[in-house]
């Protein structure tokens, strides 16, 4: 309620948007980072004619409604990103502002637009806002405007219970312009002039600090933390409506007000449409045929880490992908997320497509989601696989909102060696595979890495590419990374065992199979870079590939959780790693041809 005047001013006086075409490229983007205030956004979308009707507001938060508990991108017209986990929307907005500026700079595009985000105390307390604000200040994203709903209240009580930050100083130190609005939350003209001042170019993002009173104008609950989430009683509703001088009638929305609102919104929308163009034509679709034609070949005798392979793939296909924008959280060379022809994205080079995120994985993930949902960009971001945990909330929201982000995770096993148990991922594959809507691919060699890139481009949502630090032999044709799996060694009609391996363990499986052959045990070896692709594209073929085998084993240098879905006996690592050279750790933890063949022999009793 206390943000309703701000919402009204944004939608009816400040933002350029066209309700008849919610996806019009040059629209200003609006993000409600405090997603728990979703009813504010739904009410605005209803009034402005985005397709929501009163019945939708009446079914707020109910099964199958267009008005879920928190705003969901792709679910409700006019909702740009999915918010609710506090701080994510703020960082998404930073990504949107990067995408907007990069495209406008490269294409001398007149459709530059603003990104508006409303963030509350919760968003600004969350660590991700510190990372994202710092990055935005460094980059000087002057078309990013954040309105801080400064009501000093969270669920537990006053913010003073846990927080003594000086938000103004904090943002000034990040390089933001800060406008302190004063007590203007109900003054429409003052709100408008604050937002208009925020649009003035100054080479910095702007934070508007808006003092509000939670629950205003409820006479009983305003300023109280109980207003945050407790439903108002009938009495509270009555007195709040009295304070607003509106009838005490549920869902009071006078027809003439609603139709006038929609008329004005449509007329404003039409007036903007005449002035600006759209998304540059070359950014509208991905030319997969051109990307396929540009893919690099990997010599059959090459020994190459898949993190190096991805860099070759990115370099080779970058010309065919004008949408590509790449970056890493201070591990650019290590992860392979580097295109040598791309300028660095900086304040002085806004056209740059190589982003140095600094050591800010969480913001990198969420900004990438914002870029993807902005449109016109294909963000690829990279870090070590173990630090996927630092980005998990952003990865989850990428999946939930079908944001086409490619997460590149290198150093994907205990093969990373000396760093000790903090650095080798163990449970990360199981964790990412459990996220619905995230495509996970762990290629075994260069050919599978190249095809994994194609699968990532084809997929309507995010992909995690899980890549090795260590060099690997070329063992596949690559088809497994589009089909899901590939049989590499057949072993005749009825092999004694099947070994299903992923990534760097594919070559170990082949070695184990050759060792077993010497004692008369015949194996079928399968490379299975992706559970998701196998499930969606070739499950029956996979099952029949294993059907004739005596006993099936999986082999992967990580948690065995989940593998029982596909094989009889998983072989993996269900403990943390250790500090020693990578090959030693792998060997000690049973990921070597001889250890694997021993396990299989004993399982078969031979
Ligand atoms: C990451 C995260 N942690 C916790 C929550 C639960 N939560 C929802 S709203 C809220 C308080 C937010 O306070 P504020 O931003 O000041 O919102 P206001 O009370 O003004 O509505 C919390 C803790 C959440 N949504 N996301």
């Amino acid at each position: 309620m206390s943000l309703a005047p701000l919402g009204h001013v944004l939608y009816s006086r400040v933002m350029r948007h066209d309700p008849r075409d919610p996806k019009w490229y040059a629209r200003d983007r609006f993000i409600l980072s405090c997603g728990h205030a979703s009813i504010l956004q739904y009410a605005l979308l209803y009034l402005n004619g985005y397709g929501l009707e009163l019945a939708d507001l009446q079914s707020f938060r109910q099964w199958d409604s267009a008005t879920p508990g928190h705003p969901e991108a792709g679910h409700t017209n006019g909702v740009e990103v999915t918010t609710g986990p506090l701080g994510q929307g703020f960082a998404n907005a930073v990504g949107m502002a990067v995408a907007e500026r990069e495209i406008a700079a490269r294409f001398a595009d007149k459709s530059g637009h603003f990104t508006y985000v409303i963030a509350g105390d919760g968003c600004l307390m969350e660590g991700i806002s510190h990372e994202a604000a710092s990055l935005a200040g460094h980059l000087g994203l002057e078309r990013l405007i954040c309105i801080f709903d400064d009501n000093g209240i969270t669920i537990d009580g006053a913010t003073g219970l846990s927080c003594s930050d000086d938000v103004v100083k904090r943002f000034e130190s990040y390089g933001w312009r800060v406008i302190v609005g004063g007590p203007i939350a109900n003054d429409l003209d003052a709100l408008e002039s604050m937002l208009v001042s925020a649009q003035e170019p100054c080479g910095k993002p702007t934070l508007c600090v808006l003092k509000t009173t939670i629950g205003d104008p409820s006479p009983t609950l305003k300023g109280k933390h109980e207003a945050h989430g407790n439903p108002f009683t009938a009495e509270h509703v009555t007195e709040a409506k009295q304070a607003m001088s509106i009838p005490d009638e549920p869902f009071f929305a006078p027809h003439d007000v609603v139709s006038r609102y929609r008329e004005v919104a449509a007329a404003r929308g039409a007036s903007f449409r005449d002035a600006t163009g759209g998304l540059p034509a070359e950014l509208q679709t991905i030319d997969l045929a051109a990307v396929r034609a540009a893919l690099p070949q990997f010599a059959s005798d090459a020994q190459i880490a898949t993190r190096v392979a991805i860099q070759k793939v990115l370099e080779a296909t970058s010309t065919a992908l004008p949408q590509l924008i790449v970056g890493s959280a201070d591990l650019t060379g290590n992860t392979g997320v580097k295109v040598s022809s791309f300028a660095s994205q900086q304040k002085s080079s806004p056209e740059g497509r190589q982003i140095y995120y600094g050591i800010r994985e969480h913001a990198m993930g969420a900004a990438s989601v914002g870029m993807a949902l902005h449109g016109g960009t294909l963000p690829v971001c990279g870090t070590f696989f173990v630090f996927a945990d630092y980005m998990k909330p952003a990865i989850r929201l990428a999946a939930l909102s079908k944001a086409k982000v490619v997460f590149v995770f290198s150093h994907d096993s205990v093969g990373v060696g000396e760093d000790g148990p903090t650095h080798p991922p163990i449970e990360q594959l199981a964790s990412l595979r459990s996220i619905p809507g995230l495509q996970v691919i762990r290629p075994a060699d260069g050919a599978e890495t190249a095809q994994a890139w194609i699968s990532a481009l084809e997929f309507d949502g995010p992909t995690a590419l899980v890549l090795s630090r260590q060099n690997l032999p070329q063992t596949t044709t690559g088809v497994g990374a589009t089909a899901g799996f590939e049989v590499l060694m057949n072993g005749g009609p009825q092999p004694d065992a099947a070994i299903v391996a992923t990534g760097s363990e594919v070559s170990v499986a082949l070695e184990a199979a050759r060792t077993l052959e010497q004692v008369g045990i015949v194996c079928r070896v399968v490379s299975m870079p992706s559970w998701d692709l196998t499930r969606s594209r070739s499950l029956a073929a996979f099952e029949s590939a294993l059907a004739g085998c005596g006993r099936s084993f999986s082999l992967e240098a990580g948690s065995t959780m989940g593998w029982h879905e596909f094989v009889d006996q998983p072989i993996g690592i269900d403990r943390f790693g250790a500090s020693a050279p990578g090959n030693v750790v792998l060997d000690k933890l049973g990921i070597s041809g001889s250890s694997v063949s021993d396990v299989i022999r004993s399982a078969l009793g031979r």
Side-chain angles (χ1 to χ4, degrees), residues 184 187-195:
I184 59 164
D187 181 336
L188 305 186
D189 293 335
L191 286 168
E192 184 179 356
S193 73
M194 175 185 75
L195 294 168

Side-chain angles (χ1 to χ4, degrees), residues 159-183:
T159 48
L161 277 173
S162 61
C163 192
S164 310
D165 294 357
D166 183 328
V167 172
V168 174
K169 284 190 186 150
R170 188 185 141 196
F171 275 74
E172 280 173 351
S173 82
Y174 294 141
W176 287 53
R177 164 174 59 189
V178 181
I179 299 176
V180 180

Side-chain angles (χ1 to χ4, degrees), residues 166-512:
D166 183 328
V167 172
V168 174
K169 284 190 186 150
R170 188 185 141 196
F171 275 74
E172 280 173 351
S173 82
Y174 294 141
W176 287 53
R177 164 174 59 189
V178 181
I179 299 176
V180 180
I184 59 164
N186 293 325
D187 181 336
L188 305 186
D189 293 335
L191 286 168
E192 184 179 356
S193 73
M194 175 185 75
L195 294 168
V196 169
S197 321
Q199 294 172 343
E200 280 298 310
C202 69
K204 299 173 176 189
T206 299
L207 182 79
C208 297
V209 180
L210 182 65
K211 265 266 169 258
T212 60
T213 307
I214 196 167
D216 187 46
S218 160
T220 309
L221 290 173
K222 72 175 168 190
K224 303 221 170 87
H225 70 102
E226 290 80 2
H228 174 98
N230 295 348
F232 278 27
T233 63
E235 205 179 310
H236 293 144
V237 171
T238 302
E239 59 184 27
K241 288 193 169 178
Q242 260 165 15
M244 285 185 266
S245 308
I246 58 173
D248 188 8
E249 201 181 288
F251 295 94
F252 173 70
H255 179 70
D256 52 340
V257 172
V258 177
S259 57
R260 176 81 184 125
Y261 225 111
R262 291 180 180 183
E263 233 172 71
V264 171
R268 282 185 84 242
S271 73
F272 304 133
R273 296 300 292 269
D274 298 341
T276 51
L279 181 65
E282 46 271 74
L283 300 182
Q284 287 179 9
T285 49
I286 288 177
D287 183 350
L288 265 179
V291 175
R292 278 204 182 91
L295 283 176
Q297 302 289 323
F298 295 91
S300 58
D301 59 350
Q303 287 279 336
I304 188 169
T306 47
R307 66 180 167 133
V308 176
I310 194 67
Q311 197 201 343
K312 292 186 186 301
V313 169
L314 291 173
E315 291 276 6
T317 60
S318 62
T319 314
L321 284 167
Q323 301 90 345
L324 190 63
I325 183 161
V326 304
S328 170
D330 204 44
L331 293 168
T332 304
N334 314 55
T335 55
V337 182
K338 167 94 183 133
V339 176
S340 49
S341 60
F342 286 1
S344 163
Q345 165 68 222
Q346 296 292 341
K347 194 172 174 174
S348 55
S349 47
E351 75 288 358
R353 292 200 277 159
Q354 179 78 46
I355 305 187
Y356 292 94
Y357 285 99
I359 305 128
R360 304 184 183 104
E361 293 84 1
H362 200 176
M364 172 172 77
S368 298
V369 172
M371 282 179 221
L373 295 177
H374 172 274
T377 66
L378 173 68
V380 178
C381 63
T383 185
F384 289 162
F385 191 27
V386 76
F387 303 133
D389 292 350
Y390 272 48
M391 309 168 66
K392 170 79 190 301
I395 300 171
R396 183 170 190 271
L397 286 181
L400 184 53
S401 52
K402 291 188 188 294
K404 203 183 187 79
V405 177
V406 183
F407 297 98
V408 168
F409 295 120
S410 71
H411 296 58
D412 69 349
S413 77
V414 295
V416 305
E418 288 91 339
D419 277 333
T422 53
H423 281 53
I426 295 293
E427 73 283 18
Q428 281 66 22
L429 270 165
S431 161
L432 293 196
R433 282 175 179 146
S434 71
I435 301 178
L438 175 71
Q439 176 173 256
V440 181
I441 312 179
R442 186 169 185 248
D445 60 7
E448 280 191 1
T449 307
Q451 292 307 315
W453 181 235
I454 297 296
S455 291
L457 299 183
E458 283 175 339
F459 187 58
D460 181 22
T463 297
L465 299 180
V466 180
L467 307 175
S468 75
R469 173 197 185 213
Q470 67 273 37
N471 285 342
L472 302 173
Q474 307 310 298
T475 51
T476 78
T477 68
V479 71
T482 50
F485 79 98
E486 179 184 11
V487 175
L488 301 182
M489 185 188 272
N490 195 29
Q494 281 187 314
D496 301 299
I499 315 176
V500 180
T502 78
S504 48
E505 285 68 71
V506 168
S507 51
V508 180
L510 288 166
E511 191 192 327

Side-chain angles (χ1 to χ4, degrees), residues 20 223-224 253 422 555 578 596:
R20 293 165 313 165
K224 303 221 170 87
T422 53
L555 177 61
V596 171

